[in-house]
Amino acid sequence: EPEVTQTPSHQVTQMGQEVILRCVPISNHLYFYWYRQILGQKVEFLVSFYNNEISEKSEIFDDQFSVERPDGSNFTLKIRSTKLEDSAMYFCASVKGTDTEAFFGQGTRLTVV
Amino acid sequence: GESVGLHLPTLSVQEGDNSIINCAYSNSASDYFIWYKQESGKGPQFIIDIRSNMDKRQGQRVTVLLNKTVKHLSLQIAATQPGDSAVYFCAGSNTGNQFYFGTGTSLTVIP
């Protein structure tokens, strides 16, 4: 069964450093997303990406964040100058078309120290 | 100060009983809904979906009910099993692709 894969599973970084979280969506999917989940809280939308550009982003997704699909398979989330409050699980998701389920990866646990 | 621990509503049921998990949404334009199950340390896993032109949809041991009048969604799990213990989220979409998640309910099945 096709799945969304994310690497690394756990990333520890020092405050102020840049991190890149990587995702490989399902190959024939067209829409890609990043979500985050702070421990014990709900899953929060960050950004959606379609046709090689951001289609929607939340208030959380400020200038500190950027996304890229550099090679047609990987979908990355870059967080510049990380802050302690960026510590969370980050989930990548992909969707084949509109009104279909989003498939989620297993997440990357980001810990900023 | 720092908050620790879960902020989610909780539900405990005996093994074999039926579970009902509720969700309310605020955006009346939402037209597609999904229930996800999330086990500890894992990503959300699709359970069942429903479109706004339906009131009810059934899967294997699960039923989703949609009441658009009061903007309420419920997930019913029949004959709940220990493996059903997880956090359950509803997610709604009004653009056809982006999903907004509810706060989740932590279900504990007591053997």
Side-chain angles (χ1 to χ4, degrees), chain A residues 29-83:
Chain A
H29 284 194
L30 301 177
Y31 300 85
F32 314 108
Y33 309 87
W34 282 100
Y35 287 83
R36 81 171 183 191
Q37 187 178 31
I38 295 170
L39 181 64
Q41 298 185 25
K42 67 179 181 180
V43 178
E44 298 176 292
F45 169 75
L46 292 177
V47 65
S48 59
F49 193 86
Y50 171 71
N51 201 25
N52 285 320
E53 60 183 20
I54 291 174
S55 51
E56 207 160 345
K57 60 182 180 179
S58 70
E59 292 176 352
I60 303 168
F61 194 89
D62 59 20
D63 292 342
Q64 184 193 4
F65 295 88
S66 62
V67 290
E68 199 174 38
R69 189 160 159 80
D71 57 12
S73 64
N74 291 286
F75 179 51
T76 62
L77 174 69
K78 182 188 290 185
I79 310 174
R80 287 179 283 274
S81 190
T82 49
K83 304 185 287 255

Side-chain angles (χ1 to χ4, degrees), chain A residues 14-27:
Chain A
Q14 286 200 321
M15 191 169 54
Q17 296 296 305
E18 174 182 287
V19 294
I20 297 177
L21 310 183
R22 303 182 191 279
C23 170
V24 178
I26 296 173
S27 61

Side-chain angles (χ1 to χ4, degrees), chain B residues 5-83:
Chain B
L6 291 175
H7 305 276
L8 307 172
T10 59
L11 175 66
S12 295
V13 298
Q14 289 289 139
E15 181 179 358
D17 287 351
N18 297 334
S19 304
I20 299 177
I21 301 170
N22 296 302
C23 177
Y25 63 96
S26 57
N27 189 342
S28 57
S30 296
D31 56 8
Y32 179 57
F33 302 89
I34 299 179
W35 277 100
Y36 283 95
K37 173 185 180 182
Q38 187 177 26
E39 296 172 286
S40 180
K42 296 185 179 179
Q45 181 185 6
F46 172 88
I47 302 173
I48 191 168
D49 61 357
I50 188 168
R51 288 173 171 76
S52 59
N53 60 352
M54 304 169 69
D55 298 323
K56 178 179 179 179
R57 188 154 190 235
Q58 287 185 292
Q60 188 178 20
R61 278 202 309 120
V62 294
T63 301
V64 55
L65 298 177
L66 175 62
N67 185 331
K68 296 179 287 294
T69 302
V70 295
K71 295 194 283 240
H72 183 267
L73 199 65
S74 69
L75 176 71
Q76 300 178 4
I77 305 174
T80 316
Q81 303 167 359

